[in-house]
Amino acid sequence: MNTPAKKIIITGGAGFIGSHVVRRFVTNYPDYQIINLDKLTYAGNLANLKDIEHLPNYRFVKGDIVDIAFINSLFEQEKPDAVIHLAAESHVDRSITNPLEFVMTNVVGTVNLLNAAKNLWKGNYENKRFYHVSTDEVYGTLGETDMFREDTAYDPHSPYSASKAGSDHFVRAYHDTYGLNTVISNCSNNYGSYHFPEKLIPLAIHNITQNKPVPVYGKGENVRDWLWVEDHARAIDVIFHKAAAGTTYNIGGHNEWKNIDLIHLLCNILDRKLGREQGESAKLITYVTDRAGHDLRYAIDATKLKNELGWEPSITFEEGLEKTVEWYLANQKWLDDVTSGHYQDYYKEQYADR
Ligand code: NAD
Ligand code: DAU
């Protein structure tokens, strides 16, 4: 896009990554109007945005992307110039127990947004953009070597990754069929502040601090490629503004860790920070039944993003993990509210009239 979009709907802005994207756009682009559209499922938490919710260029709208009538009327009313779409069911384990919810939100919800954007912009896509935030899990799993590139064939294994692959295909189809100005990025595992403690890193930090067992699936040999969430938000900013229509970029930090090694690293950091003897937290590691269809290894080749748009991660994993642990220790109330379910009261208190 050459001219900045003025009004952007960011979906899923109350979630983990979405809250970082909303914060970045609201603070870096005061001329933009940012509408955070979120259903506030169990994963949506408006406390994630407490520091920016008062800013004049930010607005929250509660709504479900699966609700076609609501989405159409919101687009007609707001007439956004762009959509940055992050709303999704995001947890692989939940997709194994309830796949249909993932089809509804991730596939049907995405198609509803694509249709609403197509109908609003009516073929005039100048300075319009539909940005779909996706995952490296669409590519399936790797052996010991090789990496996921933008031209790697899709091979999803979980209901979650199958639903994200489906949504990616629809986004491309809307570009190829109707000329919609779309962009897709496929990112590796994120970590950082406001991460819901059902996911490995925040769950482990929480359980270690509470002296509870830390569940490691299978033998802990699976490899994930971790990226600091604020670097992901910066990559989305760069791609949103600079990518050509119809393109795809992989986002990752060349930072592969076996789960068990990562858990040991977290245990060591927390032993130090909590004044425990080295090795004490590691006693909490508990091997449990493996995840069904558990992908062995993810690794992103982000060369295209670096060469074409100049993006690179800004911090090392050691720095990022240290910051992340410090954030959780300093924000015990956020974690307690999330684990107790009290975080959902925040919406009722702050937005009682909506
Ligand atoms: P999250 O689960 O923390 O947040 C998802 C947000 O979407 C929540 O605020 C939730 O309330 C909202 N939402 C869910 N269903 C909705 C619906 N029907 N209508 C409106 N809002 C709805 O997820 P996340 O980890 O922040 O992931 C955000 C996006 O990034 C997802 O599309 C995910 O596939 C993708 N992604 C995540 C990672 C990761 O490591 N977490 C990596 C790559 C890509
Ligand atoms: O790769 C990007 C994806 O990363 C995103 O698209 C997903 O939305 C996001 O949830 C994440 O998926 P993973 O399944 O990789 O993340 P999770 O934190 O659930 O698990 C990370 C690894 O740790 C995985 O190999 C499973 C393992 N694990 C997970 C949990 C929750 C455990 O060993 N124990 C656990 O308790």
Side-chain angles (χ1 to χ4, degrees), residues 330-342:
N331 288 275
Q332 200 61 50
K333 176 155 170 36
W334 181 90
L335 203 50
D336 290 345
D337 283 353
V338 170
T339 47
S340 67
H342 283 151

Side-chain angles (χ1 to χ4, degrees), residues 11-18 37-45 63-66 85-91 105 132-136 160 164 186-191 194-196 198-199 232:
T11 72
F16 165 47
I17 302 170
L37 165 61
D38 199 296
K39 181 183 174 182
L40 297 182
T41 66
Y42 79 94
N45 183 355
D64 186 347
I65 59 169
V66 178
H85 175 36
L86 296 106
E89 286 295 333
S90 68
H91 190 37
T105 291
H132 181 54
V133 175
S134 192
T135 171
D136 61 356
Y160 164 70
K164 291 297 289 188
N186 298 85
C187 188
S188 60
N189 285 62
N190 286 214
Y191 70 95
Y194 303 111
H195 203 178
F196 197 86
E198 63 183 354
K199 309 281 169 56
H232 186 189

Side-chain angles (χ1 to χ4, degrees), residues 73-311:
S73 77
L74 181 75
F75 274 62
E76 277 160 27
Q77 192 186 318
E78 297 290 351
K79 303 196 174 10
D81 301 300
V83 177
I84 304 179
H85 175 36
L86 296 106
E89 286 295 333
S90 68
H91 190 37
V92 174
D93 293 334
R94 287 179 191 256
S95 81
I96 295 167
T97 48
N98 191 0
L100 189 57
E101 200 165 357
F102 284 68
V103 176
M104 294 311 291
T105 291
N106 299 359
V107 183
V108 177
T110 301
V111 175
N112 282 343
L113 292 167
L114 286 164
N115 260 330
K118 173 176 87 66
N119 293 341
L120 176 68
W121 298 332
K122 295 189 175 69
N124 179 8
Y125 299 127
E126 202 181 335
N127 298 323
K128 304 285 188 276
R129 169 136 286 176
F130 190 102
Y131 186 143
H132 181 54
V133 175
S134 192
T135 171
D136 61 356
E137 299 202 9
V138 298
Y139 299 123
T141 186
L142 295 164
E144 295 287 311
T145 55
D146 209 4
M147 305 190 97
F148 296 137
R149 275 170 280 275
E150 285 80 359
D151 58 2
T152 301
Y154 274 32
D155 184 23
H157 296 137
S158 72
Y160 164 70
S161 53
S163 69
K164 291 297 289 188
S167 60
D168 286 7
H169 290 318
F170 272 103
V171 174
R172 287 202 183 92
Y174 270 66
H175 171 264
D176 296 348
T177 307
Y178 308 109
L180 196 71
N181 181 335
T182 61
V183 198
I184 300 175
S185 57
N186 298 85
C187 188
S188 60
N189 285 62
N190 286 214
Y191 70 95
S193 52
Y194 303 111
H195 203 178
F196 197 86
E198 63 183 354
K199 309 281 169 56
L200 181 66
I201 289 183
L203 178 86
I205 295 173
H206 177 66
N207 286 14
I208 294 167
T209 54
Q210 302 286 311
N211 263 312
K212 289 184 181 161
V214 179
V216 174
Y217 296 168
K219 294 182 179 157
E221 298 283 313
N222 303 69
V223 174
R224 294 294 181 265
D225 185 358
W226 295 93
L227 180 70
W228 192 43
V229 63
E230 294 185 36
D231 277 333
H232 186 189
R234 186 166 49 82
I236 290 172
D237 182 345
V238 170
I239 294 167
F240 176 78
H241 287 101
K242 293 190 179 171
T247 52
T248 294
Y249 288 87
N250 281 353
I251 310 173
H254 289 289
N255 180 43
E256 293 179 49
W257 283 80
K258 271 189 187 168
N259 291 339
I260 190 63
D261 296 340
L262 169 59
I263 296 293
H264 275 290
L265 179 62
L266 273 175
C267 288
N268 291 342
I269 295 174
L270 279 157
D271 279 343
R272 178 162 41 80
K273 294 208 181 284
L274 299 173
R276 293 180 183 168
E277 253 178 54
Q278 274 298 311
E280 202 180 325
S281 298
K283 291 180 190 155
L284 298 166
I285 293 173
T286 308
Y287 291 92
V288 298
T289 309
D290 206 355
R291 172 185 280 173
H294 198 171
D295 286 336
L296 180 65
R297 175 172 165 258
Y298 301 149
I300 280 274
D301 180 347
T303 312
K304 180 182 175 193
L305 180 56
K306 182 181 172 192
N307 290 349
E308 291 186 7
L309 305 185
W311 175 92

